[in-house]
Amino acid sequence: MFLNYLKNFFTQKIVKKNLTDVNHIPLNKTIKTIGIIFDESYFYEKDALVQELLEKGIEESDIKVLVFKDKIKKNETFDYPTFCHKDLSWTATFDKSEVKDFIAQKFDLLINYYDTEKSALLLVSDQSKASFKVGFSSIDKKLNHLMIDTNAENYKVFIDELFKYLKILNKI
């Protein structure tokens, strides 16, 4: 328990240091590929949110999902690639190949669908190669390009607001 607290503390320290050096690159193209990072600790309706994106005209093959869980049981199976705190090393790197692949993939839009700051989630979002990052206003302001002020339970409001602003910015 205490070691997990220390690991989380050091990881957050590394992430906060990296966030001070973020360069915001303007997005000059339309959005085609979308990556989504979920925190399953508070939000269980992943499929409903993905379905909302499909209804807005995004192709299913262009959506990639990564799910974070606080604890993963031994024989538990998942629909999407999943990671937890155990996959995070003391030097703020990930050992799991699914997480490394997600971070390395270039997305036009990354949706950070979590409203509580956890070091593993912040690290994946920070290291992602996404051109444009969207998340909740309760998360560090340096992480996302666009922040939406709503709760994680209101996924329909989140998607409606997201697409409203993407239309204003001529990204869709």
Side-chain angles (χ1 to χ4, degrees):
M1 180 82 171
F2 181 70
L3 290 176
N4 285 337
Y5 174 77
L6 279 176
K7 184 164 117 178
N8 191 32
F9 174 77
F10 287 124
T11 304
Q12 274 193 330
K13 200 171 181 183
I14 290 169
V15 170
K16 295 291 181 179
K17 181 181 175 226
N18 288 345
L19 284 178
T20 60
D21 301 331
V22 171
N23 293 329
H24 293 288
I25 301 167
L27 178 65
N28 295 328
K29 59 182 181 177
T30 60
I31 292 175
K32 296 200 185 321
T33 58
I34 297 178
I36 308 172
I37 303 172
F38 284 108
D39 181 4
E40 200 176 75
S41 307
Y42 301 106
F43 184 74
Y44 302 103
E45 301 181 41
K46 298 177 296 296
D47 294 325
L49 189 130
V50 171
Q51 188 62 38
E52 285 287 321
L53 289 172
L54 295 174
E55 289 174 8
K56 296 289 185 178
I58 305 297
E59 296 291 326
E60 189 171 4
S61 61
D62 292 334
I63 300 173
K64 301 290 184 238
V65 175
L66 184 66
V67 178
F68 174 81
K69 286 189 75 158
D70 285 326
K71 292 184 181 181
I72 296 177
K73 297 174 184 167
K74 283 186 179 182
N75 296 327
E76 201 170 1
T77 59
F78 303 104
D79 298 336
Y80 300 108
T82 306
F83 72 106
C84 66
H85 280 293
K86 287 184 180 180
D87 300 320
L88 183 63
S89 73
W90 283 85
T91 59
T93 58
F94 289 97
D95 300 328
K96 205 167 192 179
S97 64
E98 291 100 348
V99 179
K100 288 180 181 180
D101 294 342
F102 188 87
I103 289 171
Q105 188 166 358
K106 293 185 179 187
F107 296 110
D108 297 328
L109 173 67
L110 177 68
I111 299 175
N112 295 314
Y113 207 83
Y114 53 89
D115 56 0
T116 56
E117 290 188 3
K118 294 182 180 176
S119 59
L121 291 166
L122 292 174
L123 187 63
V124 171
S125 299
D126 182 45
Q127 291 181 349
S128 173
K129 305 289 186 258
S131 302
F132 193 69
K133 298 177 184 179
V134 177
F136 291 97
S137 60
S138 59
I139 303 301
D140 194 330
K141 309 301 184 234
K142 299 173 193 164
L143 186 64
N144 298 313
H145 297 101
L146 176 66
M147 291 153 287
I148 297 174
D149 189 19
T150 186
N151 298 356
E153 294 83 24
N154 299 332
Y155 65 91
K156 289 185 180 190
V157 172
F158 182 87
I159 295 298
D160 288 340
E161 289 293 313
L162 172 63
F163 276 84
K164 179 172 79 173
Y165 286 109
L166 289 177
K167 284 179 185 175
I168 291 171
L169 295 170
N170 293 324
K171 303 303 177 206
I172 53 171

